[in-house]
Amino acid sequence: MDTRYLERLYHHIDHRPDAVAFRSFDHAGSLTFGALDERARCYGAGLKALGVSKEDRVVAILETSLSLPVVLLGHYAIGAVHVPVNTRYGEVEIAHILEDSGARVAIVDTSHKLSLLRALRAANPGLLEHLVLLGEAAEDVNEDLGELTFESLAQSAPLEARESLEDEDLAMFIYTSGTTGKSKGVALPYRAILSGIDSLTTLWRWSEDDVLVLALPLFHVHGLGIGVHGTLLRGCETVLHERFDAGDVIASVKDGGTIFMGVPTMYTRLVRALEDDPAAGEVLAGARLFTSGSAALSSDLFEAFERLTGHRILERYGMSETMLTVSNPYPPEQRKPGTIGFPIPACEVEIRDEEMNLCEPGVVGQIVVKGETVMREYWGAPEKTAESFRDGWFLTGDAARYDGDGYIVHVGRRSVDILKSGGYKISAREIEEVISRHPMVREVAIVGIPDDEWGQRIGAALVIEDGDDTSRDASWWADELRAFVEGRLADYKRPREVILLEEIPRNALGKVQKHRIDFGA
Ligand code: MCA
Ligand code: AMP
């Protein structure tokens, strides 16, 4: 029975209970490791009394707050699977996750998402046995609907002992976009989550003396995976920001922050702020480490940040299915812009060609991953799971090459149907499926348009039904799609540019050729 990683997860909780683990940016509150564990055991006990037990899924639709790590560890304390959901998701995404995960309970903290969950339950009475209301949502509890408040659960007597778990037990499902319309639940055991983060944070010399400035959302691998689990593994103090704001991040570093992790869009905004206020560059110079991931960091951005702060951003690479796998080295002079670095010790990473032969330097192939950091499966989808492995290697779908020094250079996604905007992964198919339900749209193709700030912006090429009012131009359609997509999908999936076409370009076999769709500059 392997519990190596779980022991590391609880090390600081068990040995340094009085040290501060999480604090809110506005200093309104903080949680020591001991208080975090105590509250998690109370909430866990409350859930257990509802009948939630090992491997039951609990969906969490939560904005960043000090309650979020309590909820996560409450789920872990009883062996329930934490299913974080992006709070920007709309009806289509959330309905799918609730159904696909088979969750018995969901916890939610805004009245807006509560209304959506109620509507989904009214439409499908089999969905969820209980809804736990936290924060703003808790003001509106309806016990007749199986609703109860987080506070009432958190008043339970704490569990005497955490559920006895092994590293192979399931900790989390992360829903991630694929080349098909519906997202897939990446089933991650403790081993997968903790091995890579332990390895990565050791590589980054992350310690109890660090203060992490955490302004990433806490429902994806970057913020929740590395940020929250890194805090627990390394025993540092973490400052939770409810949302990213360049000025707040600078203030947090001034206040003692030593590590900041961001997506490239955040660095674009930081550079903009520093150009307006060069003195802030000296503040950031005082931090120890800036890392970037989730999307490609351009060399220009790397250089601008170095010029303004003296820091060489450490870029690393990962994926929900494999967690963190590749990182630039820690010594600043060895960090190479435009590369993602080398495989981290927890896993094997190679670039292979179509025949699974190792690629020579300069030759573009696919990143493949093997080892402890890799997911167990796509939940309930054995065929999709099988398709994504070959010869024991997980096929990432990312194209890359080795440079002359052995650093890995990320070249892009192999599929044009997977996009990244602001560090969020987006399925073109999912947006196409929603937009094609519009009665006046005959056909739609969603394309990623390269963008300096966002990585990619979402473009929609539309073919309109015959007989539609011809005075409705692309700008009319942009507004129409905004209204049509709103509430159904996350706002960042909304097409920002629209063009109208007579037909979507196809090859002789009828396959859509997105590279022929031109959105102009
Ligand atoms: C918002 N806007 C956009 C987009 N999103 N425009 C184009 N494309 C978009 N995607 C517009 C808004 O409508 C608004 O315009 C304006 O930009 C500012 O929006 P705002 O709400 O301020 O943006 P934001 O909420 O601050 O979002 C920016 C962000 C956010 C903070 C960078 O995207 C973010 O938190 N990204 C992190 C995602 C992440 O954690 N990914 C990790 C996945 P207007 O003013 O006109 O209304 S895990 C992963 O990838 C792997 C494992 C890994 O390796 O890490
Ligand atoms: P997600 O499924 O949201 O976990 O996103 C994983 C994807 O993000 C990877 O498959 C890559 O395409 C992309 N990604 C992560 N880190 C980087 C990076 N440093 N450079 C380029 N792309 C990245």
Side-chain angles (χ1 to χ4, degrees):
M1 170 165 150
D2 212 344
T3 58
R4 196 156 44 114
Y5 289 116
L6 278 158
E7 280 160 31
R8 285 182 212 172
L9 182 72
Y10 289 110
H11 175 84
H12 294 276
I13 285 177
D14 291 339
H15 294 92
R16 297 174 58 241
D18 297 331
V20 173
F22 295 97
R23 149 170 103 63
S24 55
F25 166 61
D26 61 5
H27 289 271
S30 65
L31 272 178
T32 60
F33 285 97
L36 171 61
D37 183 51
E38 171 85 7
R39 288 193 202 179
R41 286 175 190 238
C42 293
Y43 165 66
L47 276 184
K48 199 170 177 179
L50 290 180
V52 180
S53 60
K54 194 173 163 191
E55 301 225 337
D56 281 341
R57 275 78 61 199
V58 183
V59 161
I61 313 179
L62 300 176
E63 301 289 354
T64 295
S65 80
L66 288 172
S67 299
L68 195 148
V70 172
V71 168
L72 173 78
L73 286 185
H75 297 160
Y76 286 179
I78 58 170
V81 179
H82 185 75
V83 187
V85 170
N86 189 324
T87 53
R88 295 166 81 161
Y89 281 175
E91 181 194 333
V92 171
E93 297 123 319
I94 293 180
H96 168 66
I97 293 173
L98 292 177
E99 282 169 26
D100 190 77
S101 66
R104 299 178 60 190
V105 178
I107 176 163
V108 62
D109 65 356
T110 64
S111 49
H112 179 61
K113 291 291 182 253
L114 174 61
S115 308
L116 172 59
L117 287 172
R118 281 182 177 157
L120 291 171
R121 291 183 82 199
N124 179 357
L127 224 49
L128 301 171
E129 288 163 33
H130 296 284
L131 260 182
V132 181
L133 280 50
L134 171 66
E136 180 198 317
E139 291 163 19
D140 191 18
V141 63
N142 185 337
E143 287 172 10
D144 294 341
L145 297 175
E147 295 174 2
L148 65 170
T149 64
F150 171 77
E151 283 309 322
S152 65
L153 293 181
Q155 276 160 15
S156 314
L159 294 166
E160 276 180 23
R162 296 185 283 260
E163 179 75 29
S164 160
L165 298 173
E166 298 179 34
D167 291 342
E168 272 319 306
D169 284 321
L170 285 176
M172 216 189 281
F173 288 179
I174 301 257
Y175 274 83
T176 189
S177 301
T179 45
T180 55
K182 298 229 186 310
S183 63
K184 296 173 282 190
V186 176
L188 294 162
Y190 290 93
R191 175 259 305 153
I193 297 175
L194 299 174
S195 59
I197 293 165
D198 193 37
S199 174
L200 189 77
T201 52
T202 304
L203 198 80
W204 293 354
R205 305 185 190 173
W206 185 338
S207 79
E208 289 166 26
D209 299 330
D210 276 308
V211 176
L212 172 69
V213 177
L214 187 53
L216 286 154
L218 302 186
F219 32 72
H220 289 304
V221 163
H222 203 164
L224 180 63
I226 318 180
V228 174
H229 292 81
T231 305
L232 297 166
L233 287 170
R234 298 275 80 90
C236 73
E237 176 179 329
T238 287
V239 183
L240 294 179
H241 288 239
E242 282 174 29
R243 55 184 294 277
F244 172 81
D245 174 85
D248 290 350
V249 166
I250 294 165
S252 236
V253 171
K254 195 170 186 179
D255 209 15
T258 64
I259 306 180
F260 173 77
M261 305 189 300
V263 297
T265 308
M266 294 177 174
Y267 282 104
T268 309
R269 294 194 187 170
L270 278 171
V271 162
R272 227 182 269 151
L274 295 173
E275 277 166 348
D276 290 346
D277 176 15
E282 282 167 38
V283 173
L284 294 193
R288 184 176 72 78
L289 178 64
F290 288 86
T291 72
S292 175
S294 307
L297 180 78
S298 72
S299 300
D300 285 352
L301 193 49
F302 178 98
E303 280 154 21
F305 196 75
E306 184 176 14
R307 176 170 46 78
L308 292 159
T309 66
H311 278 286
R312 294 168 66 77
I313 300 170
L314 189 159
E315 183 170 4
R316 92 312 174 269
Y317 157 91
M319 192 179 187
S320 303
E321 288 88 334
T322 61
M323 302 301 290
L324 284 310
T325 53
V326 181
S327 172
N328 263 278
Y330 182 76
E333 64 285 1
Q334 292 175 25
R335 300 175 198 162
K336 211 191 233 197
T339 78
I340 52 176
F342 301 100
I344 63 170
C347 56
E348 291 175 66
V349 181
E350 291 184 356
I351 302 173
R352 300 278 186 113
D353 66 16
E354 294 295 335
E355 281 76 46
M356 292 300 278
N357 297 314
L358 191 65
C359 290
E360 295 293 323
V363 175
V364 174
Q366 175 171 207
I367 301 180
V368 296
V369 184
K370 196 188 257 186
E372 288 200 309
T373 67
V374 179
M375 68 170 185
R376 182 198 285 182
E377 61 186 339
Y378 289 120
W379 182 247
E383 283 169 19
K384 284 183 187 154
T385 306
E387 279 165 18
S388 58
F389 285 89
R390 200 162 145 198
D391 304 341
W393 292 91
F394 177 81
L395 309 173
T396 62
D398 282 305
R401 61 179 167 80
Y402 297 108
D403 76 1
D405 300 320
Y407 286 74
I408 296 176
V409 178
H410 187 271
V411 173
R413 289 292 307 183
R414 283 156 54 96
S415 165
V416 291
D417 286 327
I418 300 279
L419 315 176
K420 271 266 169 162
S421 195
Y424 286 121
K425 194 175 190 187
I426 297 171
S427 155
R429 289 282 170 79
E430 182 181 50
I431 308 175
E432 286 162 0
E433 278 177 18
V434 167
I435 292 179
S436 58
R437 288 182 217 157
H438 191 294
M440 293 184 299
V441 172
R442 186 193 299 163
E443 256 195 302
V444 52
I446 294 295
V447 175
I449 306 168
D451 184 279
D452 284 347
E453 177 170 358
W454 297 98
Q456 287 176 309
R457 257 171 313 132
I458 309 302
L462 296 181
V463 179
I464 304 304
E465 287 293 359
D466 288 340
D468 187 42
D469 183 345
T470 49
S471 68
R472 291 172 174 171
D473 59 7
S475 120
W476 185 90
W477 272 101
D479 290 342
E480 175 66 12
L481 290 188
R482 173 200 289 257
F484 192 73
V485 167
E486 190 177 353
R488 292 186 163 98
L489 292 176
D491 54 353
Y492 59 82
K493 298 182 185 174
R494 162 163 68 84
R496 306 277 157 172
E497 282 187 38
V498 176
I499 53 170
L500 303 181
L501 300 178
E502 293 290 318
E503 59 183 22
I504 302 288
R506 291 194 147 78
N507 67 12
L509 300 171
K511 190 172 177 314
V512 172
Q513 295 184 301
K514 292 194 175 179
H515 63 277
R516 288 177 51 205
I517 301 176
D518 184 9
F519 280 83

